[in-house]
Amino acid sequence: MQTTFRSATDLVRDMRAGSLTAEALMEATLDRIDAVNGQVNAIVSMAGRQDLIDQARAADRAGLTGPLAGLPIAIKDLANAAGFETSQGSPVFAGQIAAKDDIMTARIRQAGAIVIGKTNVPEFGLGSHTFNPVHGATRNPYDPARSCGGSSGGAAVALATGMLAIADGSDMMGSLRNPAAWNNVYGFRPSWGRVPSEAIGDNFLHQLSTLGPMARSPGDVALLLDAISGPDPRQPHGMAVSPTAPLDAAALKGRRIGWLGDWGGALDYEPGILDLCRRALDQMADAGAIVEDLAPPFALDRIWDSWITLRSWSVAGGLAPLAGRRADLKDSAIWELDRGLALSAMEVHRASVIRSDWFTRAAALFDSYDAVILPSAQVWPFPVDEPFKARINDREMDTYHRWMEVVVPASLLGLPALSVPVGFGAEGLPMGMQIIGRRGADADILALGAAWHEMTDWPGRRPALG
């Protein structure tokens, strides 16, 4: 197998054993990037080749002992990595070099990984389609005329094309799950509070977005998850965690799986998506899982109303300092900013009450099921030159992000959700489904994903690039 398509777990093992050097891995990684990145534009703001080789050589001399020792990684361009540009895909921040690492980046470096650059994002991370006026669009490696999803689109493409073995991402509204599904890899939204973000501004109220890992296997997802997990003393909602790696696959026999499908008709899907997920559920049932169709556990329109209120409130809080630079903001950022600034305290309170009611109902659901499953996306990757999906079948979308409503039930509650690949549609494009668990059940969900991976290994079907 080509070196850069090998698992992160195996690469670290071989580097520790001395049968592979960090320098050799870095050379292979940079060669792979040279071969394919120009076709997909996934990794941006790269460090110089000789500097990276020198860093890898120094790591070899120092001894490779950390859990990520010697692994090249590119950091999502919403997070800071010292010495690299953090553009957030916006002209407002283009060219600004980070003076220090964010918490997550620092933990990744402390675990021994070598930062080589950044992965591309939508402007400000808004919208599940990776394009921006600073670095351009990232293309789907299975069809470069299509979107790769987002906002962790660059990360997902780098994994699918063998440019990276592990990648970090973030997820407010499916940003780890949608691009994982569209690029035939795994993306894990951890329980909210497991992975700390920066202790900047408000650290109490907003509980929507989280950082998380991506990889070509759940075992490698667990490897990176452990490196970035654990409480930070500056933040009030940190979660005590236990290691998830090395990850053992769960036995599917007897596991109770609930299928939410189209949520009683409330969710529209393009043709073929539900059928593909159904076939995956049949495979789980053949392996001994007990798969049951579920009636809608909560009114989806109430979940959506709560979501768009709390999301706009949160996004506007982050964008408020840029309110005087509207000409520099894309339409979706202005939409979120205006909605958020117009909200009253009682509107936010009512949205939070709905979230609380949904959390209570979901907790009861997980008393009966080990996991619930939904597709990871409602549409197939669309043309790369479209800003967002404007309609699903005959239904026109009323916001720039309504076409991703399927990810909101888990996001609103901060539940662990693993997007697993489930195969390809009629046009050869990938799709995935979400395995969702009770808050705190991260290890259990990853173990279910590992069982699925052993049965299928969909990421082994690679894009024809390079």
Side-chain angles (χ1 to χ4, degrees):
M1 180 185 294
Q2 185 175 336
T3 299
T4 60
F5 276 102
R6 296 182 61 208
S7 76
T9 302
D10 287 350
L11 291 170
V12 169
R13 180 200 63 210
D14 287 355
M15 284 188 284
R16 287 178 180 166
S19 59
L20 175 68
T21 65
E23 181 180 355
L25 176 58
M26 183 63 73
E27 290 269 17
T29 297
L30 297 177
D31 288 347
R32 182 63 181 166
I33 291 170
D34 287 345
V36 301
N37 195 48
Q39 301 170 64
V40 291
N41 190 37
I43 300 179
V44 299
S45 304
M46 284 277 294
R49 183 182 184 97
Q50 191 57 52
D51 175 59
L52 292 172
I53 292 171
D54 289 345
Q55 288 186 53
R57 189 176 296 142
D60 285 326
R61 289 197 300 267
L64 300 166
T65 57
L68 306 179
L71 290 176
I73 191 169
I75 303 298
K76 184 176 177 178
D77 196 26
L78 298 181
N80 288 311
F84 292 86
E85 178 189 56
T86 309
S87 76
Q88 300 184 47
S90 168
V92 175
F93 299 114
Q96 294 193 15
I97 305 301
K100 65 182 185 65
D101 289 338
D102 282 356
I103 295 168
M104 177 197 66
T105 310
R107 290 181 174 185
I108 287 172
R109 289 200 212 251
Q110 288 162 7
I114 300 171
V115 177
I116 65 171
K118 306 298 285 290
T119 54
N120 203 22
V121 298
E123 190 173 348
F124 299 117
L126 296 176
S128 278
H129 177 24
T130 299
F131 72 100
N132 64 69
V134 178
H135 296 296
T138 300
R139 296 175 177 271
N140 192 303
Y142 291 91
D143 181 350
R146 305 292 185 109
S147 170
C148 67
S151 61
S152 307
V157 172
L159 292 168
T161 55
M163 291 189 280
L164 297 174
I166 52 171
D168 72 282
S170 56
D171 188 306
M172 178 182 270
M173 190 180 177
S175 290
L176 283 158
R177 291 163 284 162
N178 165 257
W182 282 7
N183 292 280
N184 194 35
V185 298
Y186 292 84
F188 184 56
R189 179 189 170 100
S191 294
W192 193 88
R194 183 185 181 99
V195 179
S197 55
E198 291 307 285
I200 297 173
D202 174 72
N203 293 311
F204 280 87
L205 295 175
H206 300 293
Q207 297 190 32
L208 298 181
S209 185
T210 181
L211 303 166
M214 306 179 80
R216 291 187 296 270
S217 72
D220 285 353
V221 166
L223 185 71
L224 180 54
L225 180 65
D226 286 353
I228 61 178
S229 291
D232 179 86
R234 295 165 293 180
Q235 299 182 54
H237 300 303
M239 177 185 293
V241 299
S242 299
T244 58
L247 184 66
D248 293 323
L252 286 175
K253 185 176 178 59
R255 296 295 179 117
R256 295 182 63 84
I257 306 293
W259 167 237
L260 287 167
D262 64 1
W263 208 281
L267 290 170
D268 291 313
Y269 293 92
E270 289 187 336
I273 293 175
L274 289 175
D275 293 339
L276 204 59
C277 293
R278 272 287 188 184
R279 287 199 289 273
L281 291 168
D282 289 343
Q283 286 179 268
M284 290 185 170
D286 289 343
I290 302 167
V291 179
E292 297 178 353
D293 291 354
L294 298 181
F298 199 85
L300 193 62
D301 59 344
R302 296 186 69 212
I303 291 174
W304 179 253
D305 288 344
S306 173
W307 173 258
I308 59 171
T309 297
L310 295 174
R311 175 182 164 95
S312 291
W313 180 51
S314 177
V315 172
L319 292 178
L322 303 178
R325 302 188 60 173
R326 294 172 66 91
D328 296 319
L329 306 181
K330 69 175 184 177
D331 291 347
S332 54
I334 294 171
W335 185 84
E336 297 281 13
L337 179 64
D338 288 347
R339 290 191 81 254
L341 292 177
L343 290 169
S344 71
M346 290 309 298
E347 286 175 310
V348 172
H349 172 74
R350 285 191 289 271
S352 190
V353 169
I354 293 172
R355 172 167 59 176
S356 300
D357 289 344
W358 168 220
F359 191 94
T360 300
R361 179 66 190 96
L365 192 64
F366 290 115
D367 286 340
S368 300
Y369 294 93
D370 297 294
V372 297
I373 288 181
L374 283 163
S376 296
Q378 294 169 245
V379 300
W380 299 100
F382 51 80
V384 72
D385 56 359
E386 293 181 9
F388 57 88
K389 191 69 177 177
R391 62 191 315 111
I392 302 177
N393 303 326
D394 294 329
R395 180 187 173 193
E396 187 171 349
M397 300 292 97
D398 56 2
T399 72
Y400 76 97
H401 52 7
R402 189 68 180 255
W403 58 276
M404 282 300 297
E405 189 171 4
V406 69
V407 300
V408 168
S411 297
L412 188 62
L413 304 187
L415 303 180
L418 177 67
S419 180
V420 303
V422 295
F424 295 78
E427 296 184 25
L429 296 169
M431 185 48 63
M433 67 183 186
Q434 305 169 77
I435 304 177
I436 304 166
R438 184 191 299 274
R439 195 154 171 173
D442 301 57
D444 293 338
I445 296 303
L446 287 173
L448 288 173
W452 175 250
H453 184 69
E454 287 186 358
M455 292 166 54
T456 59
D457 188 23
W458 280 114
R461 180 169 163 179
R462 302 173 191 160
L465 293 180

CSV table of all heavy atoms in Angstrom, one decimal, residues 37 85 87 113 153 181 213 221 260 272 325-326 400 423:
chain,number,residue,atom,x,y,z
A,37,ASN,N,-2.6,18.0,-4.9
A,37,ASN,CA,-3.3,19.2,-4.3
A,37,ASN,C,-3.7,20.2,-5.4
A,37,ASN,O,-4.7,20.9,-5.2
A,37,ASN,CB,-2.4,19.8,-3.3
A,37,ASN,CG,-3.2,20.8,-2.4
A,37,ASN,OD1,-4.3,20.4,-1.9
A,37,ASN,ND2,-2.7,22.0,-2.2
A,85,GLU,N,-0.7,31.5,8.4
A,85,GLU,CA,-1.9,32.4,8.2
A,85,GLU,C,-3.1,31.7,8.8
A,85,GLU,O,-3.4,30.5,8.6
A,85,GLU,CB,-2.0,32.7,6.7
A,85,GLU,CG,-3.2,33.6,6.4
A,85,GLU,CD,-3.5,33.7,4.9
A,85,GLU,OE1,-3.7,32.6,4.3
A,85,GLU,OE2,-3.5,34.8,4.4
A,87,SER,N,-6.7,32.7,7.9
A,87,SER,CA,-7.5,33.6,7.0
A,87,SER,C,-9.0,33.5,7.3
A,87,SER,O,-9.7,34.4,7.0
A,87,SER,CB,-7.2,33.4,5.6
A,87,SER,OG,-7.9,32.2,5.1
A,113,ALA,N,2.9,15.5,16.4
A,113,ALA,CA,2.6,15.8,15.0
A,113,ALA,C,3.3,17.0,14.5
A,113,ALA,O,3.7,17.9,15.3
A,113,ALA,CB,1.1,15.9,14.8
A,153,GLY,N,-14.0,20.9,4.7
A,153,GLY,CA,-13.9,20.4,3.4
A,153,GLY,C,-12.5,20.1,3.0
A,153,GLY,O,-12.2,19.0,2.4
A,181,ALA,N,-19.0,12.6,4.7
A,181,ALA,CA,-19.9,11.8,3.8
A,181,ALA,C,-19.6,12.0,2.3
A,181,ALA,O,-19.6,11.0,1.5
A,181,ALA,CB,-21.3,12.2,4.1
A,213,PRO,N,-12.2,15.2,15.3
A,213,PRO,CA,-11.2,14.6,14.4
A,213,PRO,C,-11.9,14.0,13.2
A,213,PRO,O,-13.1,13.6,13.2
A,213,PRO,CB,-10.7,13.5,15.3
A,213,PRO,CG,-11.8,13.1,16.2
A,213,PRO,CD,-12.7,14.3,16.4
A,221,VAL,N,-9.5,8.0,14.0
A,221,VAL,CA,-10.3,9.1,14.6
A,221,VAL,C,-10.0,9.1,16.1
A,221,VAL,O,-9.8,10.1,16.7
A,221,VAL,CB,-11.8,8.9,14.3
A,221,VAL,CG1,-12.7,9.7,15.2
A,221,VAL,CG2,-12.1,9.2,12.8
A,260,LEU,N,-34.1,6.8,12.0
A,260,LEU,CA,-35.0,7.9,11.9
A,260,LEU,C,-35.3,8.4,10.5
A,260,LEU,O,-36.3,9.2,10.3
A,260,LEU,CB,-34.4,9.1,12.7
A,260,LEU,CG,-34.4,8.9,14.2
A,260,LEU,CD1,-33.6,10.0,14.9
A,260,LEU,CD2,-35.9,9.0,14.7
A,272,GLY,N,-32.0,8.1,-4.0
A,272,GLY,CA,-30.8,7.2,-3.8
A,272,GLY,C,-30.2,7.3,-2.4
A,272,GLY,O,-29.6,6.3,-2.0
A,325,ARG,N,-18.0,46.4,8.8
A,325,ARG,CA,-17.3,46.1,7.5
A,325,ARG,C,-18.2,45.1,6.7
A,325,ARG,O,-17.7,44.2,6.1
A,325,ARG,CB,-16.0,45.4,7.8
A,325,ARG,CG,-15.0,46.2,8.6
A,325,ARG,CD,-13.6,45.6,8.8
A,325,ARG,NE,-13.0,45.4,7.4
A,325,ARG,CZ,-11.7,45.0,7.3
A,325,ARG,NH1,-11.0,44.8,8.4
A,325,ARG,NH2,-11.2,44.9,6.1
A,326,ARG,N,-19.4,45.5,6.6
A,326,ARG,CA,-20.4,44.6,5.9
A,326,ARG,C,-20.0,44.4,4.4
A,326,ARG,O,-20.3,43.3,3.9
A,326,ARG,CB,-21.8,45.3,5.9
A,326,ARG,CG,-22.4,45.4,7.3
A,326,ARG,CD,-23.7,46.2,7.3
A,326,ARG,NE,-24.7,45.5,6.5
A,326,ARG,CZ,-25.6,44.7,7.1
A,326,ARG,NH1,-25.6,44.4,8.4
A,326,ARG,NH2,-26.6,44.2,6.3
A,400,TYR,N,-29.9,29.6,3.5
A,400,TYR,CA,-28.7,29.1,2.8
A,400,TYR,C,-28.2,27.7,3.3
A,400,TYR,O,-27.4,27.1,2.7
A,400,TYR,CB,-27.6,30.1,2.9
A,400,TYR,CG,-26.9,30.2,4.3
A,400,TYR,CD1,-25.7,29.5,4.5
A,400,TYR,CD2,-27.4,30.9,5.3
A,400,TYR,CE1,-25.0,29.5,5.7
A,400,TYR,CE2,-26.8,31.0,6.5
A,400,TYR,CZ,-25.6,30.3,6.7
A,400,TYR,OH,-25.0,30.3,8.0
A,423,GLY,N,-21.1,4.0,0.9
A,423,GLY,CA,-21.0,3.7,-0.5
A,423,GLY,C,-21.3,4.8,-1.4
A,423,GLY,O,-21.1,6.0,-1.0
